[in-house]
Amino acid sequence: GNSVTQMEGPVTLSEEAFLTINCTYTATGYPSLFWYVQYPGEGLQLLLKATKADDKGSNKGFEATYRKETTSFHLEKGSVQVSDSAVYFCALSDRGSGGSNYKLTFGKGTLLTVNP
Amino acid sequence: EADIYQTPRYLVIGTGKKITLECSQTMGHDKMYWYQQDPGMELHLIHYSYGVNSTEKGDLSSESTVSRIRTEHFPLTLESARPSHTSQYLCASSGGSGKAFGPGTRLTVT
């Protein structure tokens, strides 16, 4: 079956530090890959996605590249802000085309705290 | 901005009570989902629906039940709440515009 393994937290960084949250996956076929963010007290919001190999998703300064050869989708940001403090979830869908319509398999989440 | 709503946002109830968590969306999405989120943050799919009168159990066994009588409404019911049901419950829907999550209901059973 499908699975997602992401870096365990918590991760604590100072403002303007570089962020990497690792994510690897196991799936049959060609899944779509996602990063979701959950701010305190809120639901999940889609941060970025990639639907095929070598695609790069980007949003709000965050980036992640779909690497089929390493089955990875690591999240990066060059300079984090206090407002980036949240829980980040890596996820995959079990259909390749678009993928947003289908069930998601989530990683366990990584809590990021950014200090001023 | 996502148009998916959950009520209540917070609920504290006693053991043995029957409760219904409401979820509604105004996007006309056919597919809707319920996820249970552990205190340790991990998300588990417990129910989903591909349309009216369609409901399926998810990856994690749950004592809750769901119904889908209308496209926009996907309530989740616990007939007899127990402390082990204490969790955050997230509703989601998906369609052509993508997948959207509600703000969640944080349930505490005492």
Side-chain angles (χ1 to χ4, degrees):
Chain A
N2 297 336
S3 68
V4 175
T5 303
Q6 67 181 94
M7 183 170 137
E8 286 193 25
V11 174
T12 302
L13 296 173
S14 297
E15 207 164 23
E16 299 184 2
F18 184 86
L19 169 71
T20 299
I21 301 178
N22 290 339
C23 173
T24 57
Y25 67 90
T26 303
T28 55
Y30 302 94
S32 291
L33 302 173
F34 306 84
W35 277 100
Y36 282 84
V37 58
Q38 185 176 31
Y39 297 104
E42 298 184 14
L44 270 68
Q45 300 174 28
L46 178 64
L47 180 61
L48 53 85
K49 70 177 184 181
T51 58
K52 61 183 188 296
D54 299 326
D55 267 3
K56 177 186 283 188
S58 60
N59 185 25
K60 299 181 181 179
F62 291 89
E63 292 183 342
T65 301
Y66 189 143
R67 301 284 187 203
K68 192 169 186 301
E69 64 276 13
T70 55
T71 61
S72 65
F73 193 54
H74 304 322
L75 182 69
E76 297 182 336
K77 186 173 185 181
S79 176
V80 293
Q81 305 301 312
V82 173
S83 57
D84 294 327
S85 297
V87 180
Y88 292 82
F89 291 91
C90 186
L92 68 81
S93 72
D94 56 5
R95 290 290 293 266
S97 54
S100 58
N101 287 341
Y102 301 93
K103 291 188 293 177
L104 290 170
T105 300
F106 285 93
K108 293 188 177 182
T110 302
L111 173 64
L112 169 67
T113 302
V114 180
N115 295 318
Chain B
E1 191 167 321
D3 295 308
I4 180 164
Y5 308 99
Q6 290 185 243
T7 57
R9 292 292 312 278
Y10 303 92
L11 179 62
V12 180
I13 60 166
T15 297
K17 300 290 186 185
K18 176 181 178 178
I19 56 167
T20 296
L21 309 185
E22 302 288 349
C23 175
S24 60
Q25 50 95 6
T26 59
M27 296 170 282
H29 286 169
D30 286 328
K31 300 176 182 65
M32 296 188 74
Y33 314 79
W34 276 103
Y35 290 85
Q36 184 173 340
Q37 185 172 25
D38 293 344
M41 302 180 303
E42 191 167 0
L43 285 142
H44 302 283
L45 179 68
I46 53 174
H47 297 284
Y48 61 99
S49 167
Y50 283 160
V52 171
N53 294 326
S54 149
T55 60
E56 303 286 344
K57 290 193 178 296
D59 304 322
L60 179 70
S61 174
S62 173
E63 293 166 343
S64 58
T65 59
V66 291
S67 62
R68 190 87 184 276
I69 298 171
R70 303 199 313 267
T71 297
E72 63 271 20
H73 197 214
F74 191 42
L76 180 145
T77 298
L78 280 164
E79 291 293 334
S80 179
R82 295 208 301 268
S84 60
H85 297 139
T86 294
S87 191
Q88 165 127 297
Y89 293 84
L90 291 170
C91 181
S93 70
S94 64
S97 56
K99 191 163 190 171
F101 282 81
T105 294
R106 185 167 295 282
L107 172 66
T108 303
V109 183
T110 60

